[in-house]
Amino acid sequence: MSLLSTLTGAVIGITATLIADRNRWRREEGRHALEVRREVYTEFVSALKEAGEEMRAVALGDHRSESARDAAVREAVRGTGLYTASERLWLVGPPQVVAASNEAFHRMRAIRDAYARGTAVGSAEEASLVGMRRSAMAQMRRLMREDLGFGPLGIE
């Protein structure tokens, strides 16, 4: 009887330890996944903002031809790391964040294409496109903050 009690106690103790270790591992994995998403979101939003600034700087410059302007605008975006950041987000983001980030990305590309065609900074067309991009980015940020467990800012 004593041996049976000892074995039963050992099995219960081992089982409890395994369950506790498994729960601790899950919490750590969850924290790590959250940190990865935070880094990826920051990288994507930063690259998106940088692409906007780089494109605008190119659009303000003088270009010898339409093709030179087009190439300069496209190169400005490529140099920001936006495409890599976008792919990383597609790999780790939940569907609603990926969809919102994709919308913001496409709004940025619409501005890129407009600048490549010669749309002037400060024009009505640019203002409309920038407004749509800002709305898309605000929605994207709201969903990212929600995913990360932060409440709304209330300032966008």
Side-chain angles (χ1 to χ4, degrees):
M1 189 63 145
S2 172
L3 181 59
L4 183 58
S5 295
T6 303
L7 286 175
T8 302
V11 168
I12 291 171
I14 291 170
T15 302
T17 300
L18 289 173
I19 290 171
D21 286 347
R22 174 82 172 155
N23 288 339
R24 187 173 20 261
W25 176 80
R26 281 186 177 163
R27 279 191 308 275
E28 287 300 316
E29 283 297 307
R31 275 186 277 234
H32 177 69
L34 185 68
E35 184 58 33
V36 166
R37 287 196 315 277
R38 182 185 347 257
E39 289 172 15
V40 168
Y41 293 171
T42 301
E43 177 187 10
F44 180 75
V45 172
S46 298
L48 199 59
K49 293 287 281 184
E50 184 181 352
E53 292 298 319
E54 292 294 324
M55 288 185 315
R56 190 171 195 280
V58 169
L60 287 168
D62 292 327
H63 303 284
R64 294 186 190 142
S65 67
E66 284 184 33
S67 62
R69 181 183 53 243
D70 184 292
V73 169
R74 290 177 190 285
E75 183 55 37
V77 174
R78 274 192 296 274
T80 63
L82 179 60
Y83 296 109
T84 301
S86 176
E87 288 302 318
R88 287 187 73 205
L89 196 145
W90 275 73
L91 292 174
V92 301
Q96 67 274 16
V97 171
V98 171
S101 70
N102 194 46
E103 179 65 22
F105 178 82
H106 284 286
R107 295 297 179 185
M108 184 280 308
R109 283 182 50 187
I111 295 169
R112 179 204 65 191
D113 294 346
Y115 285 152
R117 287 190 314 272
T119 298
V121 172
S123 68
E125 180 183 3
E126 185 219 28
S128 174
L129 292 169
V130 168
M132 288 187 283
R133 188 195 78 199
R134 283 185 182 143
S135 293
M137 287 188 68
Q139 172 69 0
M140 175 190 70
R141 282 190 199 104
R142 185 186 67 73
L143 291 170
M144 287 175 171
R145 288 181 60 82
E146 185 179 295
D147 179 49
L148 295 173
F150 299 117
L153 285 174
I155 60 174
E156 287 193 309

